Amino acid sequence: MSPQELEDFEQELVDQYALAFAAAGLTDDHIAQERSVIFSFVRSLGHGRHLWAAAPQDVDRFLQQQRREHGLAKSTVHSKAGTLARFFDFLIGRYQGEIHGLTGYVVGQPVDEFNRPAKADYGGLIRIPPGDDEVAHLFGRWREALPGARKFLPGARDYLAASLWRRAGLRISETVNLDIRDWRRDLGPHGKLHVRFGKGSMGRGPKPRLIPTINAVDELLDWWMTDIRHQYGDDWTNPDAPLLPSERRDRDLGRCRRAGDDTLRSGFATAVNTWLPSWAGQLTPHGMRHFCASSLYARGMDLKAIQELLGHEWLSTTTRYIHVHDDHVETAWASANDRVAARLITGTE
């Protein structure tokens, strides 16, 4: 085969991989990211070398580049290694015979147990959330300061967003995409929140869920819709308007624009710097999601219910969000002993 024919064949293999992902229902953005990683790896091989000739040493060099030269996060490097591993599994499973017939190469898996990066561990000190007293202090001082805030409306909006992370464990992307229609006060004793843009797995698009507005979330949303939201403009009656608006308006749609995630992050960071300075630069919206899971678990909610609330696909993911106090084991032991003593006294089993 000529050099041009080899390049065309290589391109066809990548296109077939993308087509298979599209058939599996993955989003265009996710497929584009996978293709980008593969082509980046191809460029790292150097002129005249093709994917089917890649060896583990080539992946070693590529991943080292990502870490040292580009300074990418451990989780990002792990994700890129996973992309390459999936792609080469695809080549081996579907095209190994054809590749060997046309090029003489037997494709191997260059991502092995030696160079595959360990998944990033989020159990470090920064990810462990502050305690109940610290979080109560932060939100209490924040709430007290709202009436005198220089910009009351954005301050109230940022407070509500952070409260949704604290009390319902919403992701920041889920919070940003809430519309007024998503607050269903008529469903259940507390009402429900329709999270239409929940995080899907492996780029398979949004995974919606309906969560009960427990943990005082219903009271917060009642406050927001009754006292605050209408002050942003008359679009508060439009079910398609954003629940958390920007101060800017969309002239084409005749309603408020949506507050962005950077805006909500900034508002939260300012509050932490002001009222919980010992956590400045450490406590993030995702950290509050960890706090929510830990707080609800400590109060007796079972893991399965927390999993459904947070929108995790796997229960094992939820367990990594649970950070209990040092006396948790001792408390559980004491409770168990109390139950045993009660059965001995009453004679019941």
Side-chain angles (χ1 to χ4, degrees), residues 81-274:
T83 294
L84 294 178
R86 285 189 295 274
F87 176 66
F88 278 94
D89 282 345
F90 172 80
L91 294 185
I92 293 167
R94 288 199 180 185
Y95 289 97
Q96 189 173 60
E98 186 174 351
I99 292 171
H100 180 261
L102 292 174
T103 70
Y105 282 93
V106 176
V107 181
Q109 174 57 269
V111 183
D112 56 26
E113 66 271 23
F114 300 105
N115 61 18
R116 186 188 298 270
K119 191 168 185 179
D121 179 13
Y122 296 122
L125 291 176
I126 292 178
R127 287 286 179 154
I128 297 177
D132 289 346
D133 291 344
E134 292 173 297
V135 171
H137 174 80
L138 166 63
F139 280 85
R141 292 294 303 277
W142 194 353
R143 183 176 60 251
E144 291 170 1
L146 279 179
R150 185 175 65 86
K151 300 186 75 173
F152 170 72
L153 291 180
R157 176 202 62 209
D158 297 345
Y159 175 82
L160 173 65
S163 296
L164 293 177
W165 309 332
R166 171 196 182 187
R167 296 182 178 277
L170 263 63
R171 300 176 177 93
I172 189 168
S173 59
E174 296 170 343
T175 310
V176 164
N177 284 295
L178 288 172
D179 288 342
I180 287 175
R181 70 167 67 250
D182 296 325
W183 166 224
R184 296 295 304 274
R185 195 66 177 89
D186 57 311
L187 298 179
H190 297 279
K192 293 184 186 294
L193 202 56
H194 188 199
V195 182
R196 291 177 293 115
F197 291 90
K199 181 180 178 182
S201 62
M202 282 292 294
R204 286 181 168 83
K207 181 183 177 183
R209 66 187 187 279
L210 201 62
I211 63 171
T213 49
I214 57 172
N215 203 16
V217 172
D218 54 346
E219 298 172 13
L220 282 162
L221 289 171
D222 281 340
W223 162 74
W224 175 253
M225 291 305 299
T226 302
D227 298 340
I228 311 297
R229 181 60 180 84
H230 64 87
Q231 297 186 53
Y232 275 91
D234 57 8
D235 66 341
W236 68 278
T237 60
N238 183 345
D240 294 322
L243 184 68
L244 298 173
S246 165
E247 292 179 288
R248 298 180 179 180
R249 293 188 67 83
D250 188 320
R251 293 181 180 178
D252 294 331
L253 296 176
R255 62 187 186 222
C256 292
R257 294 180 182 272
R258 196 176 301 279
D261 57 354
D262 287 341
T263 297
L264 299 184
R265 287 181 193 278
S266 178
F268 181 64
T270 298
V272 173
N273 292 343
T274 304

Side-chain angles (χ1 to χ4, degrees), residues 26 39 49 57 75 93 145 166 177 217 228 233 260 279 281 300 331 336 338:
L26 276 70
F39 286 128
R49 294 192 65 207
Q57 293 83 354
S75 58
R166 171 196 182 187
N177 284 295
V217 172
I228 311 297
W279 281 84
T331 302
D338 288 343

